[in-house]
Amino acid sequence: MDTSGTPPLPDFRLDHALLRRRLRQADTGSYPGSDFLTREIARRMDERLDLIRIAPRSILDLGCGVGHDLVRLGERYPDAARIGLDLAGHLLVYARTRLTPASRSLRRLFAKNSPPVGLGAAEATQLPLKDGSVSLVWANLMLPFIDDPLPVFREMCRVTETGGLIMFSSLGPDTLQELRETLPAHAGERVHRFIDMHDLGDALIAVGFSNPVMDMEMATLTYDKLDGLFADLRANAANNAALTRPRGLCGRTGWEQSRARYEQLRREGSLPVTVEIIQGHAWKTGSAKKQPYPDGRAVVRLHLHPHEQETSGYPENL
C-alpha cells in the first residue's frame, strides 16, 4: 500500500434517512434566527434579479424552508403564482403561518387578490409539477443537502418553461475549512463535503441549460465560541450526514486537542469560519447547445471574487 501521500477521498454520498431525521428534528424556534447566512445570500440573489429581465407567471421556491424567500419573491413579482416545496414538512407548517392570506402582516405585504401560494413536501429529484409549468426556479442553499446535482438540475429543467430561468446558491468545498483542518483526520471525514462550482456548471450544461453563469466569493463568519457554530449547524440540520462519516466520537482528548487547535486561529477575539458562497443562474432556451465548440468544450462563465470578506456570525452584522 502506498502511504507516501494522502489517500483519495471516497465518493461522497449522503445518508438520506439521517438527513430527513435531522430536518424533522431541526429547532423551528431557533431556525429563523440561526439561518442568517441563508437570509444574507437571499438578499444577494435578490439583487442579481435587478439585472435580469424576467416577468415570471409562476415561481418555484425549491427548499423553501419557513417561507422567507416566498415573501421576498412575492414582493418583487406580485403577479406571479408561487409554489414552495421542501423536504422538511414541519418547516412548511411554520411557513403557512406566515403566508396565510388572513394574516395581518401579509395584508400589508401583498395586494388584494394576489396570486395563491402553494406549499408542499417533496424530494428535489421528484418534483410534483407538470413539465414546463414554472417560469422561475429559485433554490437558495438547497444544493448543500444533495450529493449529486445532475438529477436535481434535470428535474429543474423539466419543470421550467422554455424561456424560463433557474437561480440558485450553494456552498463550495472551502466552506468550514478551519473545522476540517482542526478535527482529527485519522478518525475519518467529520465535516460535510460541498460540491465544487465547476461540477455544478458541468451539470447545468449536461441537462440542457443555456448560458450558465457561476459566481463565487469567499466570506468569513466570526464566532465568540466554537459552540455557537455547532449550534447553528445543528439548528439548520447542516452537520455532516455523509455515509462515510465516523460513527464514534473522537474521544475527550482528541476533542480537547481539536478545540485547542481551533483556538490558535482566534483573531481579535473571534474565531473565523470560512464560507465559500456560490451563486448561479441559467436559462432554458429550448435550443441549448451542449457542445458549442468542435472539440466538445462547453462554456460556463465563471466570476470569481478573490478578496475575502469579513462578516460577523450574528444576523445584525452580517
Side-chain angles (χ1 to χ4, degrees):
M1 178 178 176
D2 182 13
T3 59
S4 60
T6 302
L9 292 172
D11 289 340
F12 179 64
R13 290 292 182 269
L14 288 174
D15 184 337
H16 294 282
L18 174 65
L19 183 58
R20 290 189 186 93
R21 289 199 301 272
R22 286 180 175 173
L23 286 169
R24 286 196 297 267
Q25 296 166 0
D27 185 352
T28 55
S30 66
Y31 181 89
S34 61
D35 70 338
F36 59 89
L37 179 61
T38 311
R39 297 296 93 241
E40 169 61 18
I41 295 177
R43 183 189 66 79
R44 300 183 187 194
M45 291 173 66
D46 187 59
E47 287 182 346
R48 291 164 71 98
L49 285 173
D50 291 336
L51 307 175
I52 297 175
R53 297 182 60 183
I54 184 173
R57 295 175 302 170
S58 55
I59 301 171
L60 167 62
D61 183 357
L62 187 54
C64 65
V66 296
H68 289 296
D69 292 359
L70 284 168
V71 175
R72 180 186 294 269
L73 291 165
E75 293 171 339
R76 178 176 282 276
Y77 304 114
D79 295 329
R82 285 162 292 149
I83 306 163
L85 298 177
D86 199 287
L87 185 63
H90 73 289
L91 297 182
L92 298 176
V93 173
Y94 186 92
R96 286 190 181 94
T97 66
R98 306 181 70 252
L99 297 166
T100 301
S103 168
R104 290 183 178 180
S105 62
L106 286 178
R107 289 197 191 112
R108 293 193 297 267
L109 288 174
F110 297 112
K112 293 181 180 179
N113 302 320
S114 60
V117 181
L119 298 170
E123 294 269 4
T125 55
Q126 294 179 318
L127 301 178
L129 300 173
K130 295 180 180 179
D131 295 358
S133 58
V134 178
S135 307
L136 170 63
V137 177
W138 171 282
N140 181 16
L141 288 188
M142 180 275 298
L143 292 172
F145 291 94
I146 66 168
D147 46 28
D148 184 0
L150 197 63
V152 175
F153 284 152
R154 186 177 292 117
E155 269 295 270
M156 287 186 185
C157 190
R158 180 185 67 80
V159 303
T160 303
E161 66 184 20
T162 300
L165 175 73
I166 69 164
M167 176 169 281
F168 61 89
S169 64
S170 189
L171 302 176
D174 284 337
T175 300
L176 301 178
Q177 64 180 17
E178 296 88 356
L179 188 60
R180 185 173 286 105
E181 292 169 358
T182 53
L183 288 174
H186 67 274
E189 194 175 7
R190 291 188 172 273
V191 180
H192 188 90
R193 211 188 307 174
F194 300 94
I195 303 172
D196 186 85
M197 175 176 65
H198 299 84
D199 293 330
L200 294 176
D202 291 343
L204 288 170
I205 291 290
V207 302
F209 281 110
S210 295
N211 302 319
V213 177
M214 306 293 295
D215 197 349
M216 185 274 283
E217 57 185 316
M218 305 298 292
T220 300
L221 308 182
T222 57
Y223 284 84
D224 293 334
K225 298 180 179 179
L226 197 55
D227 289 335
L229 168 62
F230 296 147
D232 281 349
L233 291 174
R234 287 192 298 271
N236 290 276
N239 37 340
N240 190 15
L243 283 171
T244 55
R245 71 191 184 282
R247 295 308 197 268
L249 301 176
C250 60
R252 181 175 180 178
T253 300
W255 184 236
E256 290 177 349
Q257 291 174 345
S258 297
R259 282 182 174 272
R261 284 194 291 269
Y262 211 124
E263 278 294 327
Q264 294 176 4
L265 303 177
R266 187 179 290 274
R267 298 291 182 271
E268 298 181 356
S270 298
L271 296 174
V273 178
T274 296
V275 179
E276 181 182 341
I277 301 171
I278 297 172
Q279 294 185 68
H281 69 265
W283 297 90
K284 181 178 176 180
T285 64
S287 59
K289 296 181 180 180
K290 300 179 185 178
Q291 296 182 344
Y293 291 109
D295 62 3
R297 288 178 294 152
V299 175
V300 179
R301 284 184 286 162
L302 304 177
H303 300 274
L304 307 180
H305 299 273
H307 300 293
E308 189 174 81
Q309 178 178 348
E310 293 284 344
T311 57
S312 168
Y314 297 96
E316 61 269 25
N317 296 320
L318 184 63

